[in-house]
Amino acid sequence: MLGPRVWSSVRQGLSRGLFRTVGAWASGEGKKVDIAGIYPPVTTPFTATAEVDYEKLEENLHKLGTFPFRGFVVQGSNGEFPFLTSSERLEVVSRVRQAMPKDKLLLAGSGCESTQATVEMTVSMAQVGADAAMVVTPCYYSGRMSSAALIHHYTKVADLSPIPVVLYSVPANTGLDLPVDAVVTLSQHPNIVGIKDSGGDVTRIGLIVHKTRRQDFQVLAGSAGFLLAGYAVGAVGGVCALANVLGAQVCQLERLCLTGQWEDAQKLQHRLIEPNTATKQLGLPLGKRGCLRPS
């Protein structure tokens, strides 16, 4: 069960955050928050003594703020959230919120292995400034993560979250794809607004778009490597690690797709595939605590 302090936070969040979102839908606006656009998944820099380097984090945010991104993702895989303490995760979100332009969306990764911990982290991240929670699939007991179990998990989180929830499927790291049937069911929840799909299966992305077309639900491609293909089958944007280093080019690819300049978009996509592959090979987390850091 959730502790008294968490329930108090949930009640406060429901009176504030959900009034802004769910309350607006109930009043007849009928729209969830729009997450369409390009987001760089912000890295977490560390000092030589393996502490979070907040000064460098803010410096990076100021540089990224010069590009026409829709917003920023923090505490995704690029943010190395498994290597951070709970207080560090919240402090990073707070610092990013303070440093980033006010008109940008902040999507914060709040996923934990248990439903209770995820609810607590989501509520806390809302309190420090997150606009939406990006919730990765719990995966330690992957063999038990059936569609029913995942639907139950995400429904409970979305019910108690004071901010909108974005599903996050990243099988390369979790070994678990969020099943399409679960995504379709969850897309009907009023506080679940979309999914970041990092699996790279464009057929799956297209199927999710097709099967959720009657819902107010959006799909973000999880890599610049298949961003054009994602747009072609109905994705509305992407969370792209490459945007941290080639922000202008990734945003240009977005513009070309949105304006139907598919031939130019294809040429640019081809040019971005190699550097995107390099970010995957060279940008792997080295491990804050040193367990994977080369000697």
Side-chain angles (χ1 to χ4, degrees):
M1 293 181 63
L2 297 174
R5 283 187 299 177
V6 176
W7 275 117
S8 176
S9 296
V10 169
R11 286 194 295 270
Q12 292 174 14
L14 289 172
S15 66
R16 292 198 300 266
L18 284 183
F19 180 78
R20 295 196 308 268
T21 52
V22 177
W25 311 326
S27 68
E29 293 180 22
K31 291 289 288 182
K32 299 178 182 178
V33 63
D34 181 8
I35 59 172
I38 300 297
Y39 301 79
V42 178
T43 59
T44 303
F46 299 110
T47 67
T49 56
E51 299 303 317
V52 177
D53 192 333
Y54 294 108
E55 184 177 335
K56 286 295 183 184
L57 176 64
E58 292 171 15
E59 183 181 313
N60 290 342
L61 261 293
H62 289 307
K63 291 177 181 177
L64 292 171
T66 63
F67 298 105
F69 297 129
R70 180 69 178 91
F72 302 95
V73 166
V74 291
Q75 302 307 307
S77 302
N78 239 39
E80 302 189 44
F81 73 90
F83 301 135
L84 302 181
T85 66
S86 295
S87 60
E88 286 173 332
R89 291 180 70 177
L90 294 173
E91 183 66 17
V92 167
V93 173
S94 178
R95 296 292 188 101
V96 171
R97 179 74 272 174
Q98 294 171 41
M100 65 186 277
K102 303 302 181 186
D103 61 337
K104 306 293 187 182
L105 280 181
L106 173 54
L107 275 57
S110 64
C112 302
E113 281 302 308
S114 76
T115 303
Q116 175 176 332
T118 303
V119 169
E120 293 179 6
M121 182 61 72
T122 301
V123 170
S124 296
M125 285 189 168
Q127 292 174 336
V128 295
D131 295 305
M134 195 177 74
V135 181
V136 71
T137 50
C139 62
Y140 185 80
Y141 296 104
S142 59
R144 302 299 297 272
M145 291 297 103
S146 63
S147 288
L150 290 166
I151 289 170
H152 176 80
H153 172 74
Y154 279 108
T155 299
K156 290 294 183 184
V157 173
D159 283 347
L160 296 173
S161 173
I163 52 178
V165 170
V166 177
L167 311 175
Y168 180 21
S169 181
V170 55
N173 291 347
T174 63
L176 180 69
D177 246 331
L178 185 53
V180 172
D181 66 305
V183 176
V184 173
T185 298
L186 292 167
S187 72
Q188 301 169 48
H189 193 289
N191 202 30
I192 295 178
V193 298
I195 182 172
K196 175 198 172 187
D197 195 306
S198 297
D201 185 340
V202 178
T203 301
R204 169 188 157 88
I205 291 174
L207 184 61
I208 290 172
V209 170
H210 174 67
K211 285 185 170 290
T212 61
R213 67 192 183 282
R214 300 187 188 282
Q215 307 301 326
D216 190 4
F217 185 81
Q218 297 176 306
V219 179
L220 297 174
S223 171
F226 52 89
L227 185 59
L228 180 147
Y231 273 116
V233 296
V236 299
V239 181
C240 307
L242 188 63
N244 283 292
V245 291
L246 293 176
Q249 290 83 348
V250 175
C251 288
Q252 181 185 2
L253 180 55
E254 173 198 26
R255 288 193 299 274
L256 292 172
C257 291
L258 292 178
T259 55
Q261 301 178 65
W262 295 108
E263 186 174 343
D264 288 339
Q266 183 187 68
K267 292 176 182 176
L268 179 55
Q269 176 71 87
H270 286 165
R271 294 202 301 273
L272 293 180
I273 289 174
E274 244 183 338
N276 185 71
T277 302
T279 63
K280 287 184 176 181
Q281 294 173 341
L282 301 177
L284 295 174
L286 295 177
K288 173 189 172 185
R289 304 304 179 191
C291 59
L292 299 178
R293 194 181 300 280
S295 57

